[in-house]
Amino acid sequence: MNPLPANKILIKRLRSANSTNDAAINILKNQENIDWIIADEQLNGRGRRGNVWTSPLGGLYASVVISDDKIEYSHLSQLSILSSVVAAKTIEEIIGKNLIRSKWPNDIFLAEKKLCGILIESVFIENKFYVIVGFGINVKFTNEQNQAKFSYLQEISDKVSVEKCFNKLILNFNKIINIWDYGKSFTRFKNYWLMLTQDYGRIIKVRIKNILIEGVFENIDDHGNLILRVGGKKEIINTGEIFS
Ligand code: BTN
C-alpha cells in the first residue's frame, strides 16, 4: 500500500459520538471521504462479541477506515493481529517496552488488566469493500470501578495525553500497514505479536460463541488464526475470546 503523507490524512474530530466505528460507516454511506475519526467520548461504544465498551472522557476512541481496492475479506484476520501490533508499538513508545502483553485476537494487557481493545468491522457500501478498525485505549483514569478491571497509560506515564497517543497511533498504523503490503510481510508482525503474548505454549480456554474449548495455544497461523491443540487434534480458530 502507498503510504499516506501525514498532511493528506483526513481526520474528523468529534466531542461525542455513539461509536466512532458507526460514525465512520455513516460518513462513508454519505459518500464522504474519511481516514480517521476520533471522539472525546462515546455514548454507545461497542466491543467485540456485542459487548459494551464504556467510553468516558479520558480514553482514546478512534477508528480508521481502510478503503484500498486491494483489501479483501481474506485479509481480516491478519489485519486483526496487525492492528494489535500497531496499538502495542504505540503504547510501547509511550510507556516503554516489556510492560504489555498481547492476548488473541487483539487485546493488549498491562499488569493483568485490559489496556486496549480493538473492534474490526467490514462493510460493503455501493459495492465497495471497507474495513473499519476501531481502537479503544485507556489513557487517563476514569472512575474507580473501571480501575479494578482496566489498566491505564497514566499508571506508568503521568505526562500521557490522548492527543499524543492518537498521533503515534496514526503514524504507526500508516507505517505498519505499508510494510505489511497485503500480507507479504505478515510473518514479522506475527512474530512480534507472539513475543508479547504469555499464552504461547500454555493451556488456555477459548470461548467460541457459547462453547468453551480448552487446549494448548500452539501458534498463530499465516492468516492470524489461533492454532489450538485439543487432545491430539489441531483446531484452527478464527473468532473467539481467550480465558486463561
Ligand atoms: C473489545 O475489546 O471488545 C473491543 C473494544 C473496541 C473499542 C473501540 S473504541 C473506538 C471504536 N468504537 C467503538 O464503538 N468500538 C471501538
Side-chain angles (χ1 to χ4, degrees):
M1 283 171 86
N2 290 326
L4 268 179
N7 61 348
K8 290 268 167 64
I9 298 174
L10 220 57
I11 302 170
K12 191 166 180 87
R13 292 164 198 273
L14 299 173
R15 163 72 184 77
S16 182
N18 280 332
S19 150
T20 53
N21 273 30
D22 294 344
I25 293 170
N26 287 335
I27 289 171
L28 295 172
K29 282 186 179 160
N30 286 336
Q31 300 188 339
E32 291 167 44
N33 287 333
I34 184 82
D35 294 311
W36 282 89
I37 179 158
I38 180 164
D40 295 344
E41 65 173 358
Q42 294 184 123
L43 305 177
N44 191 17
R46 296 187 290 108
R48 289 194 311 271
R49 302 165 54 82
N51 291 329
V52 169
W53 187 259
T54 311
S55 311
L57 292 177
L60 181 150
Y61 316 110
S63 304
V64 59
V65 173
I66 308 177
S67 56
D68 190 295
D69 283 341
K70 291 197 210 149
I71 290 286
E72 293 168 5
Y73 192 80
S74 63
H75 289 130
L76 284 183
S77 303
Q78 283 195 355
L79 283 174
S80 169
I81 297 291
L82 211 68
S83 306
S84 181
V85 171
V86 169
K89 294 258 189 204
T90 301
I91 290 165
E92 286 186 335
E93 284 172 13
I94 293 170
I95 63 172
K97 286 192 182 279
N98 303 324
L99 292 172
I100 53 169
R101 296 282 163 255
S102 57
K103 192 173 270 282
W104 189 85
N106 52 28
D107 289 340
I108 308 281
F109 277 67
L110 166 70
E112 313 287 322
K113 292 191 272 179
K114 187 152 158 172
L115 176 66
C116 166
I118 300 171
L119 177 66
I120 302 190
E121 296 178 301
S122 59
V123 277
F124 272 101
I125 299 170
E126 308 270 333
N127 284 331
K128 192 166 161 40
F129 183 63
Y130 297 93
V131 179
I132 323 290
V133 184
F135 295 88
I137 304 181
N138 302 324
V139 180
K140 299 203 164 191
F141 296 131
T142 49
N143 61 45
E144 276 171 27
Q145 193 195 356
N146 282 353
Q147 282 177 46
K149 218 170 135 200
F150 294 101
S151 52
Y152 294 80
L153 294 178
Q154 198 181 15
E155 286 167 42
I156 310 291
S157 165
D158 52 9
K159 286 192 197 76
V160 73
S161 72
V162 172
E163 197 55 31
K164 179 174 164 187
C165 193
F166 183 50
N167 288 339
K168 289 184 184 296
L169 189 71
I170 294 176
L171 292 177
N172 278 313
F173 182 85
N174 211 8
K175 190 162 119 194
I176 288 173
I177 201 104
N178 289 314
I179 298 172
W180 170 67
D181 198 11
Y182 310 94
K184 286 194 198 108
S185 308
F186 179 63
T187 309
R188 68 186 261 194
F189 296 114
K190 180 181 94 171
N191 290 343
Y192 183 86
W193 188 98
L194 283 169
M195 250 170 40
L196 290 181
T197 191
Q198 273 180 333
D199 294 325
Y200 203 31
R202 284 200 177 162
I203 297 177
I204 54 165
K205 291 192 180 96
V206 186
R207 189 162 67 197
I208 305 159
K209 295 202 173 114
N210 287 324
I211 302 165
L212 215 54
I213 304 184
E214 194 175 86
V216 176
F217 185 120
E218 198 166 278
N219 214 334
I220 297 287
D221 72 11
D222 286 339
H223 302 282
N225 300 316
L226 168 65
I227 306 176
L228 194 70
R229 181 156 293 276
V230 185
K233 260 182 73 189
K234 261 188 196 178
E235 300 278 350
I236 308 289
I237 297 172
N238 62 19
T239 175
E241 211 75 18
I242 292 184
F243 293 88
S244 297

